[in-house]
Amino acid sequence: YIKFYIFKQYSTILIGKSTGFLLFFSCVYVRHILINVCMFVGFRFTSVRGDKVDILYNNIKHAVFQPCDGEMIIVLHFHLKNAIMFGKKRHTDVQFYTEVGEITTDLGKHQHMHDRDDLYAEQMEREMRHKLKSAFKNFIEKVETLTKEELEFEVPFRDLGFQGAPYRSTCLLQPTSSSLCNVTEWPPFVVTLDEVELVHFERVQFHLKNFDIVIVYKDYSKKVTMINAVPVNSLDPIKEWLNSCDIKYTEGVQSLNWTKIMKTIVDDPEGFFEQGGWSFLDPESEGEGGVDDSESEMEDETFNPSADEEEEEEEDSDEDYSSETEDSDYSASLGSEEESGKDWDELEEEARKADKESNYEDEDTSTRKRKGRSSAPPPSSKKKRRH
């Protein structure tokens, strides 16, 4: 299993049964591989066909024990520092599990809540869960005593878990003492908290039910980790958990182009922090704009106008100033005339008087016309002709 681009493992020697350090653990599968030996410097897992996988203790980054509480499988998960070769592929995650119940249910089978067979099956499942949990715990305790607590198994905190989609499907992400992980779904998801520098929440709006989480690592050359479709009601518990871990977090409304941002940081990290660093992610900070502001400042520095252009700009500014003064004088004169005029009440009284005078004039003209018609002579009658 040793390749030129994989780290070289030390030669391992199995300890005899008489020493008491040889631990057999049957009926446990690493995605269809049988585990049966624990060695002095690491684990050796042997498949049914005879294939062997060696994992050294000093190559284990996280050892996670996922109990079967609320799950259909019980898991031992190892997240490695360096990849190992198995089946002509590189693997940084090795997982061993055992089913504790029926993952699939036959819907065509007639079931009744008071059926004795169903009650007996549930009782057997509870007993099996208890036996497997105690067996796994005994195995973990023996490994920790054998390694003098150099290798410690972490148990996820289910109460602090939240739903999210680090890959294509949604799963339950649970924090441990030193990581954020999900080991019940495949592929597994493991993030080391000591390697995280910043956590940013995207699309945090009141009218949206979900938001996204972006995890930025201290190694800026490493690609950021995205967790999509996180429910909004999990935002406050996640913030409290990050505060307890002393991890900085920010939030925003829009989704950012993190590929471009990280490339800018890697190209000039000193300039990035001189211009405010991650302050552009905080909407209330003065350095809002971050990388974009730095690019605009670089463009302003490269633009240097000539002397002729500066003179033309000064002349244009003088003309604009003169036009503005003329407009201000004209508006001031209008304002003075309006201030020296009459009040609204006086204008209304004058309008009423003018209306009354116009009505009187109309009445006088109408009476004059009537008198002229009455004083006019009657029409002359025609004289009768004499015969």
Side-chain angles (χ1 to χ4, degrees), residues 239-267:
K239 288 181 178 179
E240 293 178 359
W241 168 63
L242 292 175
N243 286 329
S244 64
C245 298
D246 294 332
I247 296 177
K248 181 181 178 181
Y249 63 86
T250 57
E251 63 180 54
V253 179
Q254 298 179 352
S255 298
L256 303 177
N257 187 358
W258 287 98
T259 304
K260 184 178 179 181
I261 293 173
M262 300 308 296
K263 184 178 182 302
T264 305
I265 297 172
V266 172
D267 293 341

Side-chain angles (χ1 to χ4, degrees), residues 1 14 23 25 28-30 33-39 42-48 50-57 60 76-78 80 84 86 94-97 139 143 151 153:
Y1 301 103
L14 292 176
L23 303 179
F25 208 48
V28 180
Y29 298 89
V30 47
I33 298 172
L34 188 64
I35 168 181
N36 56 6
V37 177
C38 173
M39 299 181 299
F43 297 100
R44 169 165 288 180
F45 306 100
T46 306
S47 66
V48 178
D51 298 331
K52 297 179 181 179
V53 180
D54 294 338
I55 300 177
L56 301 180
Y57 295 144
I60 297 174
L76 280 179
H77 185 88
F78 298 101
L80 307 180
I84 62 173
F86 180 76
V94 181
Q95 185 176 113
F96 307 92
Y97 73 98
F139 177 77
V143 171
L151 177 65
F153 285 84

Side-chain angles (χ1 to χ4, degrees), residues 96-366:
F96 307 92
Y97 73 98
T98 297
E99 297 179 2
V100 294
E102 294 183 359
I103 298 178
T104 59
T105 304
D106 187 6
L107 299 177
K109 181 182 177 181
H110 179 70
Q111 295 180 352
H112 193 268
M113 62 181 297
H114 297 292
D115 192 357
R116 292 183 178 179
D117 294 336
D118 294 339
L119 295 175
Y120 180 73
E122 291 178 0
Q123 184 178 358
M124 290 297 294
E125 182 178 342
R126 286 194 294 270
E127 292 178 358
M128 179 63 68
R129 285 175 180 269
H130 180 69
K131 289 181 180 179
L132 286 174
K133 189 185 295 185
S134 60
F136 270 80
K137 286 184 177 180
N138 292 332
F139 177 77
I140 290 171
E141 290 176 357
K142 290 179 181 179
V143 171
E144 290 178 348
T145 55
L146 179 64
T147 60
K148 297 179 181 179
E149 296 184 355
E150 181 181 354
L151 177 65
E152 295 182 359
F153 285 84
E154 306 173 10
V155 180
F157 302 109
R158 193 176 183 85
D159 296 337
L160 300 177
F162 58 92
Q163 296 291 330
Y167 302 112
R168 295 183 179 179
S169 60
T170 303
C171 59
L172 180 62
L173 302 174
Q174 304 177 68
T176 65
S177 58
S178 63
S179 65
L180 176 66
C181 65
N182 172 264
V183 296
T184 56
E185 302 288 339
W186 194 265
F189 176 81
V190 180
V191 173
T192 305
L193 298 181
D194 292 337
E195 298 177 356
V196 177
E197 179 174 350
L198 176 71
V199 175
H200 181 66
F201 305 120
E202 293 184 340
R203 299 191 305 108
V204 179
Q205 300 181 15
F206 292 104
H207 65 277
L208 295 179
K209 296 181 180 180
N210 300 324
F211 66 96
D212 302 332
I213 297 177
V214 181
I215 300 175
V216 182
Y217 297 96
K218 296 178 181 178
D219 183 8
Y220 296 140
S221 61
K222 190 176 180 180
K223 186 179 179 181
V224 299
T225 300
M226 298 284 295
I227 303 175
N228 301 317
V230 181
V232 177
N233 54 9
S234 301
L235 181 60
D236 292 336
I238 293 173
K239 288 181 178 179
E240 293 178 359
W241 168 63
L242 292 175
N243 286 329
S244 64
C245 298
D246 294 332
I247 296 177
K248 181 181 178 181
Y249 63 86
T250 57
E251 63 180 54
V253 179
Q254 298 179 352
S255 298
L256 303 177
N257 187 358
W258 287 98
T259 304
K260 184 178 179 181
I261 293 173
M262 300 308 296
K263 184 178 182 302
T264 305
I265 297 172
V266 172
D267 293 341
D268 188 12
E270 295 180 357
F272 172 74
F273 286 102
E274 287 177 357
Q275 294 169 5
W278 299 109
S279 60
F280 73 96
L281 296 175
D282 190 1
E284 297 179 357
S285 64
E286 296 178 359
E288 187 176 1
V291 180
D292 296 333
D293 291 342
S294 63
E295 293 177 355
S296 62
E297 289 176 359
M298 292 295 290
E299 292 177 357
D300 294 337
E301 291 176 358
T302 55
F303 179 72
N304 293 320
S306 60
D308 297 334
E309 292 177 353
E310 290 178 356
E311 291 178 357
E312 292 178 357
E313 289 178 357
E314 289 177 358
E315 292 177 358
D316 295 337
S317 62
D318 293 337
E319 291 177 357
D320 296 336
Y321 180 73
S322 61
S323 62
E324 289 177 357
T325 52
E326 290 176 357
D327 295 337
S328 62
D329 294 338
Y330 178 71
S331 60
S333 63
L334 289 176
S336 61
E337 289 177 358
E338 290 178 357
E339 289 175 358
S340 61
K342 299 179 180 180
D343 297 334
W344 283 105
D345 298 333
E346 295 176 356
L347 294 173
E348 288 179 357
E349 291 180 358
E350 290 181 357
R352 290 175 183 174
K353 291 178 180 179
D355 293 337
K356 290 180 180 180
E357 291 178 358
S358 62
N359 292 328
Y360 290 145
E361 290 178 358
D362 294 336
E363 291 178 357
D364 293 338
T365 53
S366 61

